[in-house]
């Protein structure tokens, strides 16, 4: 039967909340976690809506009608601003100052949409506006210091779609970590996504597929059949509200699943209401290379598995569900992605049990990958640290904004608005020392723990403490780039003073998620300061950080050399030092003693040169029992950011690669296997000539055909490539069916062809010259051999 009409609303105008019961009294205070902050216009005024989850397990929305949108100008500009006579504005003097110390006035407007025209009118009159681009709901949270969790004191009413509705309650920061209800979503469609065949749902106590049968027949287990597509969509929406998840997850769930469902609902005039209020859900697709799509669902949050992995800096060969599942879980999809569209339609019409299993498996794998890596708890911790909603914790600039603006507000300081065009200067990177190519034994690797955050803390590097025009005789810290900073008063040093011990405490407690959340946040500070998209963009501060880093790395190199040890390579915060001893155990003992002496020497140096307490900590990271530093091809110079080393953990040997072919996505599995086998022989002092010859012979014999695939992502549609046509684009244009932007191809005697759709023989000569020979030559050069010598007398293998 059709649903009963909603009961009358308690509010007039705008979006309405239906209350299912009269007012009830709650305990004086309860805690909640924010899922979705937003606002709506009701009866001509803005109402903040904070959706979330209570510690009781109930969903809630806290509505606040008492806050007016506002931004700031200088008090010196008040008279000019008032003379503009804009009826939307009112002014007061809250006692704030700009970052330059000038008194600031507050400009209030009736509604958030009134801010841009007023701001633009002021700017045209030459009036500088401050914080005129901070979103209304975000400002509400910043001003109150609410980051992720909040304490709610007040009465509530039960709602129809949300359990508790608070009206103008007292809200304050809180410390509470929720247990959120998660549901994974996956849909299957025809090849053009113009028809939804099925919708799979998976989560705790949920494992089901809703589908429209292609023909009469038995309904598989865990499946629910529906008459047609509109009935399927309505059943999904109804089931979603019954399950009532806090978080929706999936793989490309916003770009594909939700965007397709939204389009199909519009086609069939089905209300696309997925949330905990009768509010419109919006899907904002951003397919630019650096962009990020977002779904706004009142009362819930949507987290895409790909974005979660990348935001947590989980590195994979690619970010397809198949790759992630096999890497993380050790299992994959029922059917590979190549030719997926045709395969889906085939099994949908002829093998409904397999079709249902496929749909449910995709939903389950997405859920299991996210659960196994504990990506939701990590996102929660990051939200509690930064104040960002769960779907925005990866936004480093917005996270920095939230933290810094709140700290400024506590000090009575207002910040600049982000300028569309701002003069900037290039930022320098970390130091990279020259390398000495070769193969070595017992190499000590040292690195500075959290180098850039430690430098910020040591030297009080901060936009607020930066002094652009120092007075003669003023006691300031002078950075190597010539920038000057006060010895106190910065915001970032104060934040880091809290974060460092909190991170160490998390590590002591075995709280890896908490430790990672702090690490990601602290390491983002430098990059944010260096980008013009940040309102606190400060090239002098960013360059002071990196120049201090360069100075520290070079000082440490000189210290090791003065102690009699050669530094083979160094990069940003790490140094590779030749121990000069034969025993790995002796090398480890040596490293611990060197670390202690180096840290003490650095403390004395900083005290003597800068009159500061060093907060840097040099650590012994690892011992490479054997180590390979390659040179540049056809050159005697060393190659930077590329090396491999043999480590031993609990008696097990392993080769770690950095920057070499084994870690690069644009090299085939053939090259990676060959490089690993070759270095394994070298590191164990075994001859390599026969290994190289045998490997090439096996390649020509077809043993490695499955390892010859290149993968590369398209950055635009194949037909949009006009100036040049790279190999993966040529292959993409030949594909009978393309699933996504990642192109898998091989090189044949006719050039690039799609993997699995070749019409010509594989070009083994190409793979020898482009994949085998470069790897071999980099190693042979360190052994004093040449490629030609290895295959001399075996030319038949190479011709």
């Amino acid at each position: 039967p059709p649903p009963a009409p909603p009961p009358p609303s308690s509010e007039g105008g705008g979006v309405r909340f239906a209350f299912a019961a009269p007012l009830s009294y709650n305990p004086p205070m309860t805690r909640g976690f924010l899922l979705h902050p937003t606002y709506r216009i009701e009866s001509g005024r803005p109402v903040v809506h904070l959706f979330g989850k209570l510690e009781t397990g109930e969903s809630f929305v806290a509505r606040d009608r008492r806050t007016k949108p506002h931004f700031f100008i200088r008090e010196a500009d008040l008279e000019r601003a008032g003379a503009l006579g804009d009826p939307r504005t009112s002014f007061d003097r809250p006692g704030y100052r700009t970052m330059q110390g000038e008194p600031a006035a507050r400009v209030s407007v009736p509604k958030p949409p009134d801010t841009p025209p007023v701001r633009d009118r002021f700017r045209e009159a030459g009036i500088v506006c401050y914080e005129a681009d901070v979103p209304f709901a975000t400002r509400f949270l910043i001003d109150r210091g609410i980051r992720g969790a909040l304490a709610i004191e007040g009465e509530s009413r039960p709602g129809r779609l949300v359990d508790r509705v608070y009206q103008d309650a007292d809200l304050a920061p809180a410390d509470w970590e929720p247990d959120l209800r998660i549901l994974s979503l996956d849909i299957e469609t025809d090849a053009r996504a113009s028809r939804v065949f099925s919708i799979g749902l998976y989560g705790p106590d949920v494992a089901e597929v809703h589908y429209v049968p292609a023909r009469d027949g038995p309904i598989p287990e865990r499946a629910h059949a529906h008459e047609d597509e509109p009935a399927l969509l309505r059943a999904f929406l109804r089931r979603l509200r019954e399950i009532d998840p806090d978080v929706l997850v999936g793989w490309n769930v916003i770009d594909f699943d939700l965007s397709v469902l939204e389009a199909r609902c519009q086609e069939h005039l089905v209300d696309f209401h997925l949330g905990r209020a009768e509010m419109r859900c919006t899907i904002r697709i951003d397919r630019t290379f650096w962009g990020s799509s977002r779904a706004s669902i009142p009362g819930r949050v949507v987290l895409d598995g790909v974005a979660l992995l990348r935001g947590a800096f989980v590195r994979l060969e690619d970010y397809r569900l198949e790759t992630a599942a096999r890497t993380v879980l050790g299992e994959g999809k029922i059917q590979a992605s190549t030719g997926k569209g045709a395969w889906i339609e085939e099994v949908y019409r002829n093998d409904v049990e397999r079709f249902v299993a496929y749909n449910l498996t995709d939903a389950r794998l997405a859920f299991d990958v996210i659960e196994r890596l504990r990506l939701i708890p990590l996102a929660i911790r990051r939200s509690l640290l930064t104040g960002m909603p769960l779907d925005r914790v990866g936004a480093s600039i917005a996270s920095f904004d939230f933290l810094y603006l709140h700290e400024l507000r506590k000090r009575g300081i207002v910040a600049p608005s982000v300028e569309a065009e701002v003069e900037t200067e290039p930022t320098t990177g970390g130091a990279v020392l020259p390398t000495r190519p070769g193969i070595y034994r017992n190499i000590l690797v040292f690195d500075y723990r959290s180098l850039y955050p430690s430098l910020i803390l040591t030297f009080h590097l901060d936009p607020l403490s930066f002094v652009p025009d120092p007075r003669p005789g003023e006691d300031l810290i002078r950075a190597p780039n010539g920038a000057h900073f006060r010895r106190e008063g910065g915001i970032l040093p104060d934040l880091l003073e809290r974060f460092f011990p909190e991170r160490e405490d998390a590590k002591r407690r075995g709280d890896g998620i908490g430790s990672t959340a702090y690490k990601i946040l602290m390491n983002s500070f430098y990059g944010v300061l260096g980008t013009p998209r940040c309102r606190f963009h400060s090239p002098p501060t960013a360059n002071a950080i990196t120049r201090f880093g360069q100075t520290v790395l070079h000082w440490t190199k000189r210290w090791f050399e003065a102690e009699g040890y050669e530094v083979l390579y160094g990069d940003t915060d790490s140094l590779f030092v030749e121990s000069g001893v034969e025993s790995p155990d002796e090398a480890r003992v040596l490293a611990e003693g060197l670390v202690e002496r180096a840290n003490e020497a650095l403390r004395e140096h900083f005290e003597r040169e800068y009159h500061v307490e060093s907060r840097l900590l040099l650590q012994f990271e690892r011992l490479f029992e054997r180590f390979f530093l390659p040179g540049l091809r056809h050159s005697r110079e060393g190659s930077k950011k590329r090396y491999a080393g043999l480590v031993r953990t609990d008696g097990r040997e392993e080769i770690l690669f950095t920057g070499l072919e084994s870690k690069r996505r644009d090299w085939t599995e053939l090259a990676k296997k060959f490089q690993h086998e070759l270095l394994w022989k070298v590191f164990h002092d075994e001859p390599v000539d026969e290994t190289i010859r045998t490997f090439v012979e096996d390649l020509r014999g077809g043993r490695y055909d499955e390892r010859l695939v290149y993968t590369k992502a398209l950055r635009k549609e194949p037909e949009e490539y006009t100036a040049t046509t790279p190999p993966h684009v040529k292959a993409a244009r030949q594909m009978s069916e393309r699933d996504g932007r990642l192109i898998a191809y091989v090189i044949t005697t006719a050039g690039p062809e799609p993997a699995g759709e070749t019409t010509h023989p594989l070009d083994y000569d190409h793979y020898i010259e482009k994949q085998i020979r470069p790897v071999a030559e980099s190693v042979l050069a360190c052994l004093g051999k040449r490629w030609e010598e290895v295959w001399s007398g075996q030319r038949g293998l190479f011709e």
Side-chain angles (χ1 to χ4, degrees), residues 127-362:
I127 299 172
V128 178
C129 299
Y130 297 83
E131 300 185 17
D133 53 356
V134 179
F136 179 55
T138 302
R139 180 185 293 284
F140 182 91
L141 299 174
I142 288 173
D143 289 348
R144 289 156 181 79
I146 296 172
R147 293 183 298 177
L150 73 167
I152 308 173
E153 186 172 352
E155 298 175 341
S156 71
R157 300 176 187 268
R160 186 169 66 87
L161 298 178
V162 65
D163 295 325
R164 290 284 164 189
V165 181
Y166 293 88
Q167 192 81 285
D168 295 331
D170 291 331
L171 306 177
D175 183 15
W176 176 62
E177 189 173 344
D179 182 15
L180 300 178
R181 186 180 299 127
I182 302 168
L183 181 68
S184 179
L185 165 70
D186 181 78
I187 71 171
E188 301 302 339
T189 71
D190 62 5
R192 295 189 300 171
S194 61
R195 179 185 170 197
V196 178
F197 292 154
S198 66
I199 304 173
L201 303 174
Y202 187 87
D205 304 319
V206 179
E208 59 197 47
V209 173
H210 296 260
Y211 76 111
V212 179
R215 60 177 62 182
D216 292 336
I219 299 174
E221 185 181 0
R222 295 184 175 181
H224 303 269
H226 302 280
E227 182 179 358
D228 53 23
E229 191 179 45
L232 170 65
L233 296 171
R234 293 190 184 95
F236 160 67
L237 294 171
R238 186 169 56 249
R239 188 68 180 118
L240 183 64
R241 287 183 172 174
E242 291 171 355
I243 299 169
D244 195 27
D246 303 305
V247 181
L248 275 175
V249 300
W251 224 256
N252 294 315
V253 66
I254 301 174
D255 284 330
F256 181 72
D257 302 81
L258 289 179
S259 62
V260 170
L261 289 174
E262 181 184 42
R264 301 312 298 155
C265 282
Q266 290 175 352
E267 174 72 20
H268 296 296
L269 303 180
V270 175
D271 287 336
F272 189 62
H273 287 166
L274 306 180
R276 287 167 167 161
E278 296 294 353
M279 293 180 177
R280 176 177 171 78
C281 301
T282 58
I283 309 298
R284 190 171 69 222
I285 302 299
D286 186 344
R287 292 194 173 94
T288 61
F289 184 71
W290 296 110
S292 177
S293 300
R294 293 188 66 193
S296 177
I297 299 179
R300 310 191 204 282
V301 64
V302 181
L303 301 178
D304 181 71
V306 176
L308 284 171
L309 285 171
R310 286 179 166 153
F313 301 96
V314 177
R315 297 294 302 273
L316 298 175
E317 286 293 317
D318 59 68
Y319 289 91
R320 295 177 301 142
L321 177 58
E322 171 75 9
T323 303
R326 291 204 177 277
T327 303
V328 176
L329 307 173
E331 64 172 307
K333 295 152 64 82
I334 287 178
Q335 188 263 348
S337 60
T338 303
K340 174 183 173 181
W343 185 87
I344 286 292
E345 295 207 30
E346 172 68 20
V347 294
Y348 170 64
R349 301 186 188 286
N350 300 310
D351 190 348
V352 66
E353 286 201 11
R354 191 173 187 188
F355 171 78
V356 166
Y358 176 84
N359 190 186
L360 190 58
T361 297
D362 276 11

Side-chain angles (χ1 to χ4, degrees), residues 595-784:
V595 159
E596 186 175 346
R597 300 207 311 274
N599 281 318
E600 179 60 32
L602 185 63
R603 280 192 291 271
E604 293 175 358
H605 173 69
F606 280 176
E607 173 62 34
R608 183 174 58 255
E609 294 294 321
Y610 299 100
H611 308 295
V612 298
E613 178 188 357
S614 173
R615 306 300 290 271
L616 274 71
L617 181 65
L618 186 68
Q619 303 176 122
F620 171 47
E621 182 184 6
R622 66 166 51 95
L623 169 70
F624 283 124
E625 296 189 10
R626 300 302 303 271
F627 187 60
F628 168 57
L629 266 177
L632 293 173
R633 197 176 184 192
H634 308 308
S635 171
R636 295 189 177 186
E637 292 184 25
S639 178
K640 299 175 181 179
K641 299 181 183 292
R642 300 175 68 236
Y643 54 86
L646 182 73
V647 298
R648 189 185 305 271
T649 306
D650 298 328
R652 184 175 63 88
E653 292 182 331
E654 178 185 6
I655 298 178
L656 300 183
F657 293 88
T658 294
L660 294 174
E661 290 75 7
S662 286
K663 298 297 289 185
R664 289 176 53 178
R665 298 176 185 176
D666 54 346
W667 286 75
T668 64
E669 289 298 321
L670 172 82
K672 297 173 184 180
K673 176 178 174 59
F674 175 65
Q675 187 169 61
H676 188 277
E677 291 187 7
L678 191 60
L679 284 177
W680 189 267
K681 293 283 187 181
V682 170
F683 287 163
H684 291 85
D685 299 315
E686 297 177 11
V688 299
D689 295 26
E690 190 59 33
T691 297
I692 295 173
R693 294 172 185 146
T694 301
F695 199 94
V696 173
E697 185 178 18
D698 288 343
L699 167 64
R700 286 195 177 279
R703 279 193 57 191
Y704 300 130
D705 285 2
E706 75 283 358
R707 296 178 180 268
L708 305 185
V709 178
Y710 292 95
T711 57
K712 191 172 180 63
L714 295 170
R715 297 205 176 183
K716 50 189 175 182
E717 292 302 315
E719 59 272 11
E720 296 178 20
Y721 288 82
T722 55
T724 60
T725 309
H728 69 298
V729 176
K730 293 180 181 178
R733 291 174 178 173
Q734 301 173 49
M735 296 177 73
S736 59
E737 181 183 343
R738 181 162 57 86
D739 180 30
R741 293 186 175 273
L742 196 67
I743 305 302
Y745 67 97
V746 295
I747 301 299
T748 71
T749 54
E753 294 187 9
E757 299 183 48
T758 57
T759 57
H760 295 81
L762 293 166
D763 186 354
Y764 293 126
D765 289 335
H766 162 86
Y767 288 99
I768 293 170
E769 282 299 315
K770 301 299 183 182
Q771 297 284 291
I772 299 299
R773 182 172 179 172
V775 172
E777 285 186 330
S778 66
V779 175
L780 291 172
C782 294
L783 297 175

